[in-house]
Amino acid sequence: MKFGIIKERKNPPDKRVVFSPNEIKILQEQFPDLIFKVEPSDIRVFSDASYQDQGIAVTDDLSDCEVLFGVKEVPVEWLIPDKKYFFFSHTIKKQPYNRKLLQAVLEKNIELYDHETIVDASNRRLIGFGRYAGIVGAYNAIRAFGIKFELFKMPKACTLNGKEDLVRQLKRQILPPIKIVVTGKGKVGVGIQEILTAMKIKEVSVENFLNKNYSSAVFTQIEVLDYNKRLDGTTIDTNDFYKNPQDYGSDFEKFTKVSDIYISGHFHGNGAPDILTQKMLQASDCKIKVVADVSCDVNGPIACTLRASTIEEPLYGYLPSEHKEVDVFHPAAIVVMAVDNLPCELPKDASEGFGQMFAQHVIPAFFNGDADGILARARMTHNGQLTERFQYLQEYVDGK
């Protein structure tokens, strides 16, 4: 079986890759019938030579590969018909800007597997860059606080050599006794917690966070029922929230009154209530000074996320009284960090971690008859049609 690693062609350039040279070497030792080819790239975090050093062919011709792996969307003109493709297609939420991509996938008889659709039997995602988004997002939050209050200056994450370098930078800084609230305990939340813990910032309970004062920086990590409440006042469980989000409203205001930094690492489902509203941000007792929106839903549940920011310019100011963007150093501005491609700032770490997950959860499925149904659940298209699991996209494909 032949697999191919394609060159990333979407702009802005993305240095990440699904498999590092070392991970491919391990896979080929584990599965002797597996052959990898790599398309040349001058932007990939791992050089062409690093693959060749492992005996992996680097070639422009991937036409004999059955399966092709990429990270970002493949430009329509570069799609090879009748292949199996794995990449983030950004179509499963009916994103209008990628309708033509999914149409082309169907027209070219491509079997598409979106990385986001790779889930276990309980529908839990198995593959993603979320942890690295959390790591960089937490770093950027602390960096933003230092910039806003002229306490310290740290280099951008993208100029450093990996997670350990980020941690070294953070440990050099002295924080005042601030409070940091984090939403979400999934992969993104794990990455955020990893960084805050590495900085020796103490994690405290929700109750203590809301009611106690501390002489050093602390954080609390909260779940959906910590910051949402049922509108009728009854107390139900998390399953009820996910099934009936329309019956809930945000209860995040109690955190805005005591928090200096808010880092978002949550998943916000359709129909769920907004979390941090304009009204909360305009309240006279709102203490929040920095919002690091790692989830980055523009015009979504966090009112101050007016737009996505960039790796080059990651911060902007938000003026609550006028609900508009201002300079970061405006006296009344809340600093917003809303970079929507944070893992790109740690391309080597992110690629290595992603490849390890892929090797563990996906590659065996090609050799064991897909015993766990990994490929069957993830397959979006087959024989020029949407699969049953993704029939809900038909109207989107039809342009309706």
Side-chain angles (χ1 to χ4, degrees):
M1 180 171 280
K2 291 184 180 179
F3 288 172
I5 303 292
I6 60 177
K7 177 180 178 178
E8 297 297 320
R9 291 182 166 87
K10 186 178 179 182
N11 280 315
D14 195 318
K15 296 181 179 181
R16 293 174 296 170
V17 65
V18 175
F19 294 111
S20 69
N22 188 57
E23 196 61 47
I24 290 178
K25 181 184 178 184
I26 293 170
L27 283 170
Q28 289 181 326
E29 290 172 352
Q30 185 179 357
F31 303 104
D33 294 334
L34 180 54
I35 297 172
F36 264 95
K37 290 185 174 183
V38 176
E39 193 174 10
S41 171
D42 54 359
I43 60 170
R44 190 181 291 128
V45 67
F46 300 104
S47 68
D48 294 344
S50 66
Y51 286 95
Q52 291 169 323
D53 289 345
Q54 297 289 358
I56 302 161
V58 176
T59 174
D60 288 309
D61 184 9
L62 302 181
S63 60
D64 61 343
C65 293
E66 298 173 54
V67 186
L68 300 173
F69 297 98
V71 178
K72 291 289 189 70
E73 300 100 310
V74 178
V76 168
E77 63 272 21
W78 286 96
L79 288 169
I80 303 174
D82 306 315
K83 299 294 182 185
K84 295 180 174 70
Y85 271 91
F86 285 77
F87 57 84
F88 286 110
S89 71
H90 296 117
T91 59
I92 62 174
K93 294 182 181 179
K94 304 181 181 181
Q95 292 93 322
Y97 55 89
N98 276 336
R99 178 183 284 114
K100 289 182 179 179
L101 172 60
L102 187 52
Q103 290 171 335
V105 162
L106 293 166
E107 289 167 6
K108 293 175 182 283
N109 193 36
I110 287 167
E111 205 167 284
L112 176 62
Y113 300 79
D114 189 303
H115 297 311
E116 289 191 69
T117 68
I118 299 170
V119 296
D120 65 13
S122 299
N123 214 37
R124 289 187 294 258
R125 279 187 62 184
L126 297 172
I127 308 294
F129 288 102
R131 175 182 166 228
Y132 299 93
I135 287 170
V136 179
Y139 177 90
N140 285 354
I142 302 300
R143 179 176 180 267
F145 187 85
I147 290 171
K148 171 66 175 177
F149 296 101
E150 300 180 328
L151 295 174
F152 48 80
K153 290 184 178 179
M154 297 193 301
K156 291 179 181 177
C158 62
T159 66
L160 301 176
N161 293 321
K163 177 202 162 190
E164 298 309 317
D165 207 356
L166 265 67
V167 171
R168 278 192 291 271
Q169 291 288 337
L170 290 164
K171 284 184 173 180
R172 294 172 186 167
Q173 317 310 329
I174 298 175
L175 289 175
I178 59 173
K179 289 184 173 183
I180 304 169
V181 60
V182 180
T183 48
K185 293 189 176 182
K187 288 183 172 64
V188 177
V190 166
I192 296 168
Q193 183 188 44
E194 207 173 314
I195 288 297
L196 299 181
T197 301
M199 290 180 67
K200 307 298 184 186
I201 298 177
K202 182 181 179 182
E203 183 172 8
V204 299
S205 68
V206 171
E207 183 179 356
N208 287 344
F209 185 87
L210 294 172
N211 297 300
K212 287 188 175 183
N213 294 320
Y214 293 88
S215 58
S216 59
V218 299
F219 78 97
T220 194
Q221 192 163 16
I222 60 179
E223 299 185 84
V224 290
L225 293 187
D226 293 317
Y227 59 92
N228 290 287
K229 59 185 177 183
R230 197 172 167 90
L231 297 174
D232 62 9
T234 58
T235 302
I236 314 290
D237 58 16
T238 304
N239 289 332
D240 181 68
F241 173 80
Y242 288 125
K243 290 178 181 176
N244 305 293
Q246 71 282 353
D247 295 336
Y248 288 76
S250 176
D251 193 26
F252 192 73
E253 188 170 15
K254 59 192 177 188
F255 293 98
T256 69
K257 296 177 181 180
V258 298
S259 306
D260 300 281
I261 298 176
Y262 168 34
I263 310 177
S264 78
H266 57 263
F267 170 78
H268 189 261
N270 292 335
D274 290 344
I275 299 170
L276 179 58
T277 66
Q278 192 175 338
K279 182 180 178 182
M280 292 178 195
L281 290 165
Q282 291 174 343
S284 59
D285 58 356
C286 177
K287 285 191 62 182
I288 292 177
K289 303 171 183 70
V290 172
V291 174
D293 189 0
V294 180
S295 301
C296 192
D297 292 322
V298 178
N299 298 318
I302 298 175
C304 54
T305 303
L306 301 177
R307 62 175 176 86
S309 54
T310 65
I311 291 172
E312 293 73 25
E313 299 291 338
L315 309 178
Y316 57 88
Y318 171 79
L319 187 61
S321 60
E322 299 184 37
H323 188 58
K324 71 176 185 180
E325 183 177 334
V326 295
D327 186 80
V328 164
F329 294 104
H330 186 294
I334 293 170
V335 182
V336 177
M337 190 291 303
V339 177
D340 62 359
N341 57 342
L342 287 166
C344 294
E345 300 200 56
L346 285 181
K348 182 175 183 293
D349 295 51
S351 297
E352 289 174 341
F354 192 87
Q356 289 165 6
M357 288 184 283
F358 218 99
Q360 177 185 351
H361 296 295
V362 182
I363 298 302
F366 286 98
F367 297 92
N368 65 13
D370 194 24
D372 298 317
I374 299 292
L375 299 178
R377 284 188 293 272
R379 186 183 297 112
M380 292 181 62
T381 60
H382 184 64
N383 291 333
Q385 302 291 326
L386 291 166
T387 59
E388 183 178 353
R389 190 177 175 91
F390 296 94
Q391 280 297 316
Y392 73 92
L393 293 172
Q394 190 61 58
E395 288 190 354
Y396 163 70
V397 169
D398 294 340
K400 296 179 181 178

